[in-house]
Amino acid sequence: MTSATHPLDHLVLPTASLAVARARLTSLGFIVAPTGIHPFGTENCCAFFADGTYLEPLAIGDEQTAARAIADGNVFVARDRLYRASLGDEGFSAVVLGTGDADADHARYVSAGLSAGDVLSFSRAFTDAAGKSDMASFKLAFASGSGATDAFLFTCERINAPKIDRTALQAHGNGVTGIVEIVAVSDAPSTQALLISVVAGSKQESGAVFDLSNACLTVLDPAAFTARFKIAAGAPTKLRFAAIVFSVRSADATASLLAHNSIEHDIAGNEIVVQPASGQGAAFIFREIP
């Protein structure tokens, strides 16, 4: 089975508290959407971007509902639970790609021996900054490597996309317009090629870089990650998502906002680097792109 390259849709950032995540993202200059409630016990507060991608900080809103969902075979909640048990409540657990056919994706994952479980269909209410509501419906197909990764990838088919104007939610004070790169860390980057290639529908480019059509996914060993971002990566034995590179209109304006809000940051080449913190489970990198 073959697949066209899937674009980046969104990134999942587990957090212990949406209030903490909302405060942290706001201090970083993001506009954060109202809380979204899933029907299976989790909740989010997303940051949407003009390029169609978004961040999804994810917390447990109803522990009993989440436990029932896991017992019923809900892969999304089960993998979130597994991530938190292994790596804690703050982090960067999943890369989500867009698709027009989640069922076909699931069949590809099964054929490749990479399926993480059954397809999940669900709907939830969505409210914009002005209070206008609509119903959003999705179908998700899940993939994961066996034992070789803490990273989780899945595709998201938007069955019913909310007919809501997100312009106000995309006018971020830090100047972010989108996500251009996701960076993962692994002590054996070449071993992750099959998982990423199958899910993304993309062959490995130069080095350990995978084209997602609207962004790229780069896998670095710990030494290369530390050399690039000046952040200690440790020595993970599994693939782990670690950094998000955002495009900004003006690096100077972004740096000024961070300084004004007392956010510690460093300059690495042409990138502004903010290390992970509570409510911000990944390193945030801001890159000026004209």
Side-chain angles (χ1 to χ4, degrees):
M1 297 182 182
T2 60
S3 171
T5 300
H6 292 290
L8 175 65
D9 190 87
H10 68 279
L11 307 175
V12 182
L13 304 173
T15 183
S17 165
L18 286 191
V20 172
R22 184 181 297 278
R24 178 62 179 178
L25 292 178
T26 299
S27 71
L28 289 165
F30 293 101
I31 294 174
V32 184
T35 297
I37 307 297
H38 294 142
F40 33 73
T42 55
E43 58 186 19
N44 62 29
C45 60
C46 299
F48 296 99
F49 307 123
D51 68 349
T53 64
Y54 64 97
L55 301 180
E56 183 185 14
L58 185 75
I60 305 301
D62 186 325
E63 182 62 44
Q64 290 185 337
T65 300
R68 286 196 299 270
I70 293 171
D72 291 339
N74 185 306
V75 179
F76 180 79
V77 185
R79 290 295 306 215
D80 178 71
R81 176 71 59 84
L82 181 64
Y83 183 94
R84 293 172 192 271
S86 176
L87 297 173
D89 285 322
E90 304 288 336
F92 177 7
S93 61
V95 168
V96 188
L97 306 179
T99 185
D101 192 340
D103 289 323
D105 295 335
H106 175 67
R108 285 192 298 110
Y109 304 161
V110 170
S111 177
L114 295 172
S115 174
D118 293 338
V119 169
L120 172 65
S121 297
F122 72 97
S123 299
R124 73 167 183 85
F126 179 92
T127 304
D128 68 8
K132 181 180 177 181
S133 297
D134 199 349
M135 186 62 66
S137 299
F138 309 91
K139 182 179 285 189
L140 312 180
F142 307 98
S144 182
S146 58
T149 174
D150 285 319
F152 183 37
L153 297 99
F154 59 95
T155 54
C156 176
E157 180 181 356
R158 302 187 186 194
I159 304 300
N160 181 55
K163 298 178 177 63
I164 293 174
D165 182 4
R166 289 179 174 162
T167 304
L169 290 173
Q170 297 168 352
H172 303 288
N174 55 21
V176 168
T177 58
I179 298 169
V180 295
E181 184 181 7
I182 305 110
V183 184
V185 182
S186 170
D187 62 353
S190 62
T191 66
Q192 318 302 338
L194 176 62
L195 171 64
I196 298 171
S197 295
V198 169
V199 179
S202 169
K203 292 184 178 180
Q204 189 172 346
E205 303 295 334
S206 59
V209 179
F210 300 82
D211 180 23
L212 304 179
S213 75
N214 61 342
C216 67
L217 196 164
T218 303
V219 185
L220 300 175
D221 63 39
F225 182 87
T226 299
R228 177 174 170 184
F229 298 121
K230 308 301 185 289
I231 297 175
T237 57
K238 300 179 180 181
L239 181 72
R240 173 173 54 84
F241 297 126
I244 304 164
V245 182
F246 302 96
S247 57
V248 299
R249 291 185 291 268
S250 167
D252 287 343
T254 302
S256 294
L257 180 143
L258 296 175
H260 181 268
N261 290 345
S262 300
I263 300 295
E264 292 186 7
H265 60 281
D266 300 293
I267 306 299
N270 65 338
E271 298 174 328
I272 301 168
V273 179
V274 179
Q275 298 205 27
S278 295
Q280 176 205 327
F284 280 10
I285 320 298
F286 301 94
R287 180 193 300 165
E288 181 176 328
I289 298 180

